[in-house]
Amino acid sequence: MEYYGYAGRILKVDLSTGSIKTEKLDMDMAKKFLGGQGVNTRLIFDLLKPKIDPLSPENVIIFGAGALCGTPAPAATKFSATTKFPESGIIGTAVGCGGFGPMLKWAGYDHIIVTGVSEKPVYLSIMDDNVELQDASDLWGKDILEATEALYKKYGNDSSVLCIGPAGEKLVRMSLALIDGIGHIGRGGLAAVMGSKKLKAMVVRGTKGIKIADVERFWKIFEFIVGRAFTDRNRLRWIKYGLHGVSEAWFEGGVVPVKNRRESPPAEEAIKNYGLKAFDEVLESYPWAGPSCITSDKLVMKVKKGELEGLQTLASTTNNPVIFFGLPFNLSFNQGVKCHDIFNRYGIDEINGSYIIEVLIELYEKGLVTEEQLKMKPKPDFETVVKAAEMIIKREGLWDVVADGLLALIRKIPEASKYVIHNKGMAFPFDARVCLGVEVFDMLTNPRGAQSFALVRTPSLAIPNIPIEMVKVLAATYQIPMGARRRIFKDGEWSTARFTPYVENNNTAFNCLGLCYRFFIGRLYNLSLIHISEPTRPLYISYAVFCL
């Protein structure tokens, strides 16, 4: 059978027995669920038993490349991981970008099913048809960047690596993995699930490529999308600053909270200390992109001046050093970059990790935790953040509870519930009291917790007081039916709650197709590109051309 868009195989790995098998991808299932998150979810529905402990051998991880991964479709680099997450106890899908999804498709596989638990640390190597479980004893204990570099050295820089750090190895529930040392995947504890299975990493190199059904139409659509990308007046800003390019607008809108979500920092001061000019003064940056990425919004950042001069790190969300460290802990820009580097190397989620440190500072000030319990006097400064990250990894004393996340901390100290803002144990990066746009509303209602799948072309993070006429334009790009639009827009106002499901559905389709939906990419694809392949089932024309 000829496959177009799909590799046509699923890799099944049983860590308990060491068994590695392949099976054909069910194309009827693929056409119903597209790929990536969709097929992952369908597979885990059959494989995961109810009520299991997320860190038990019975948990399952389904990895999947989107249907467009491996083609030159612009920004088709998204890779999905579906499991039962330990931080929230919820089954869900995490996504990340980099080379792993395309490379897996080029090796001949659409999905990987991981079951069981290994007796010793291992990693999975996938070199086209040569798939093996390898001893990872020499990698266990290394941070993510060290382990990733070791695998690059062995398998070549043209391979792709998904790896966990010490946080995942120690089953820290707010741990995550990195793709190629830069792309976050698995907020909520994917790395802890991998650590519980003794799976340190996966490395893949593929050389087979992916067939396209209609090459001529493919390139026409490709040229159309790339042409739109090059008309973006902010394109050079995205390439130079990544997501930090929107930080000044966020400061002015007050959407970045500090002091345990009680305040927004003064915009003028935040821009002076952490804006684009401050970035240019202390950092050199070099764009980093995965296969087919046309924006290159991830960065290699190097401190060129002042404290920590010479420090170099990788950043997918390039404003994280400021939003989660600089502002809430009164750090210099350079110190924020260092904290970002530490959390990435350990594999600690910067959102929950930084927030739980904020909470501990307040609990200490309220007398609910002691210096003896914390082995420090916590305060909003650089030393506290660095030491707290180390203590989370060591899991000693109260820090063993902290490593299990916000819910565990509340169970240990019930009074802490008065001071913790979360959804299913996951902290909110933005404050709904300032800007209740669809992304924040999604974090409030998402079954997985405070994690949003509503971050493309959406009202209203970058523009907190977005004009209603602009919201109506966005509604049109989502092809929202007129009846639904009348319910969304009433009496000169618009309903965030009614708008949000359409954004979530759109972005779920992006996850299934393997498309990045950061707003400067998401704007390039829209539902007006539709091809009806069956009488009742609309598909993105790009998907139809590439795969059917």
Side-chain angles (χ1 to χ4, degrees):
M1 177 179 177
E2 291 286 339
Y3 291 95
Y4 296 96
Y6 296 97
R9 292 191 297 175
I10 296 175
L11 190 61
K12 302 180 75 172
V13 180
D14 186 334
L15 295 172
S16 295
T17 65
S19 168
I20 299 174
K21 299 177 181 178
T22 61
E23 64 179 36
K24 290 183 178 180
L25 176 68
D26 181 341
M27 286 307 299
D28 289 336
M29 176 181 65
K31 288 180 179 180
K32 290 179 181 177
F33 297 93
L34 301 186
Q37 179 183 352
V39 172
N40 279 11
T41 303
R42 183 63 187 86
L43 290 171
I44 206 165
F45 179 83
D46 290 332
L47 293 171
L48 193 65
K49 297 177 182 178
K51 300 182 181 181
I52 61 103
D53 183 333
L55 299 180
S56 72
E58 288 75 26
N59 200 3
V60 177
I61 312 174
I62 314 288
F63 295 100
L68 298 182
C69 282
T71 76
T77 63
K78 186 172 288 183
F79 190 62
S80 297
T82 304
T83 191
K84 188 171 186 179
F85 285 86
E87 193 161 36
S88 63
I90 299 296
I91 300 167
T93 297
V95 295
C97 291
F100 204 95
M103 198 66 75
L104 183 68
K105 296 280 284 289
W106 297 336
Y109 308 96
D110 298 287
H111 299 268
I112 306 171
I113 299 173
V114 178
T115 59
V117 59
S118 175
E119 293 183 356
K120 63 180 182 181
V122 295
Y123 69 88
L124 181 68
S125 66
I126 306 169
M127 303 291 120
D128 287 333
D129 292 332
N130 184 20
V131 183
E132 297 179 299
L133 285 170
Q134 308 278 7
D135 185 4
S137 299
D138 59 332
L139 300 177
W140 201 256
K142 291 183 182 293
D143 71 43
I144 291 180
L145 299 189
E146 291 171 338
T148 298
E149 285 300 319
L151 291 171
Y152 281 153
K153 185 175 181 180
K154 182 172 182 178
Y155 293 97
N157 289 332
D158 57 346
S159 59
S160 183
V161 176
L162 188 155
C163 187
I164 69 171
E169 295 172 5
K170 296 293 184 68
L171 311 188
V172 173
R173 291 176 185 251
M174 52 184 151
S175 61
L176 45 69
L178 294 185
I179 297 174
D180 298 326
I182 191 168
H184 299 106
I185 182 169
R187 183 174 178 233
L190 170 65
V193 178
M194 291 178 64
S196 72
K197 295 181 176 300
K198 295 290 193 294
L199 180 63
K200 174 68 174 180
M202 302 189 295
V203 56
V204 59
R205 186 175 69 240
T207 61
K208 297 181 179 183
I210 288 292
K211 293 181 179 180
I212 295 171
D214 189 329
V215 175
E216 183 178 352
R217 290 177 66 198
F218 171 92
W219 287 118
K220 286 182 180 178
I221 296 171
F222 176 90
E223 290 170 1
F224 169 74
I225 294 172
V226 171
R228 291 193 70 198
F230 286 175
T231 65
D232 187 341
R233 65 181 182 273
N234 291 312
R235 175 175 168 75
L236 295 180
R237 175 181 286 198
W238 302 137
I239 292 172
K240 182 175 181 180
Y241 298 108
L243 284 176
H244 190 65
V246 302
S247 292
E248 291 187 2
W250 288 359
F251 299 156
E252 290 172 344
V255 300
V256 181
V258 296
K259 295 186 179 178
N260 195 10
R261 309 307 192 253
R262 287 191 177 86
E263 298 179 11
S264 294
E268 185 176 341
E269 182 180 339
I271 291 172
K272 177 183 176 182
N273 294 331
Y274 306 111
L276 302 187
K277 185 177 179 181
F279 182 104
D280 290 337
E281 286 178 353
V282 299
L283 294 176
E284 294 177 8
S285 65
Y286 310 94
W288 190 102
S292 84
C293 177
I294 55 175
T295 305
S296 307
D297 58 297
K298 294 177 172 62
L299 297 179
V300 180
M301 299 193 302
K302 185 176 181 179
V303 176
K304 66 180 180 181
K305 177 182 176 182
E307 183 184 10
L308 302 167
E309 182 177 351
L311 169 66
Q312 182 169 298
T313 191
L314 302 169
S316 175
T317 308
T318 55
N319 47 14
N320 278 9
V322 168
I323 292 174
F324 301 121
F325 300 111
L327 283 167
F329 297 104
N330 302 315
L331 308 187
S332 69
F333 210 132
N334 296 3
Q335 290 173 335
V337 171
K338 177 62 176 179
C339 291
H340 164 81
D341 184 68
I342 290 170
F343 275 57
N344 266 10
R345 288 177 177 275
Y346 287 162
I348 301 174
D349 168 27
E350 292 173 277
I351 301 174
N352 263 39
S354 64
Y355 179 64
I356 204 167
I357 297 171
E358 280 192 79
V359 170
L360 288 170
I361 291 171
E362 179 155 7
L363 295 183
Y364 175 76
E365 292 172 348
K366 301 290 185 184
L368 295 175
V369 296
T370 66
E371 178 183 352
E372 183 180 3
Q373 287 176 300
L374 295 174
K375 300 181 180 179
M376 67 165 92
K377 293 181 179 180
K379 54 187 177 180
D381 64 9
F382 180 63
E383 290 72 21
T384 292
V385 177
V386 172
K387 186 171 182 180
E390 295 173 353
M391 299 300 288
I392 288 170
I393 298 304
K394 291 180 179 179
R395 296 195 70 136
E396 295 176 353
L398 182 63
W399 292 98
D400 187 46
V401 176
V402 173
D404 281 338
L406 293 169
L407 294 178
L409 184 63
I410 291 170
R411 287 193 293 268
K412 177 70 174 179
I413 308 171
E415 282 289 303
S417 64
K418 297 179 181 179
Y419 307 101
V420 177
I421 303 171
H422 70 97
N423 181 12
K424 296 182 175 69
M426 298 179 76
F428 294 89
F430 304 107
D431 196 319
R433 294 169 296 181
V434 176
C435 177
L436 186 56
V438 296
E439 57 283 285
V440 179
F441 188 82
D442 183 43
M443 293 178 195
L444 291 167
T445 59
N446 193 323
R448 190 177 151 207
Q451 176 70 23
S452 179
F453 277 162
L455 290 169
V456 54
R457 302 196 317 275
T458 59
S460 53
L461 259 189
I463 313 174
N465 296 307
I466 185 170
I468 191 168
E469 293 305 317
M470 187 178 293
V471 181
K472 289 180 179 180
V473 172
L474 292 172
T477 68
Y478 284 111
Q479 302 292 297
I480 299 175
M482 286 305 302
R485 285 192 227 179
R486 283 192 290 269
R487 291 189 291 272
I488 291 171
F489 301 101
K490 280 186 177 182
D491 303 323
E493 298 182 350
W494 64 279
S495 169
T496 301
R498 291 186 185 276
F499 198 105
T500 298
Y502 292 97
V503 181
E504 293 173 330
N505 290 342
N506 182 91
N507 291 0
T508 298
F510 272 55
N511 288 343
C512 295
L513 295 171
L515 295 172
C516 172
Y517 54 61
R518 286 185 172 180
F519 41 83
F520 34 78
I521 294 295
R523 61 177 284 273
L524 306 177
Y525 291 89
N526 64 71
L527 290 173
S528 64
L529 298 177
I530 289 179
H531 171 77
I532 306 298
S533 61
E534 296 177 8
T536 60
R537 189 166 61 89
L539 296 176
Y540 282 80
I541 189 170
S542 50
Y543 169 74
V545 170
F546 303 156
C547 306
L548 298 183

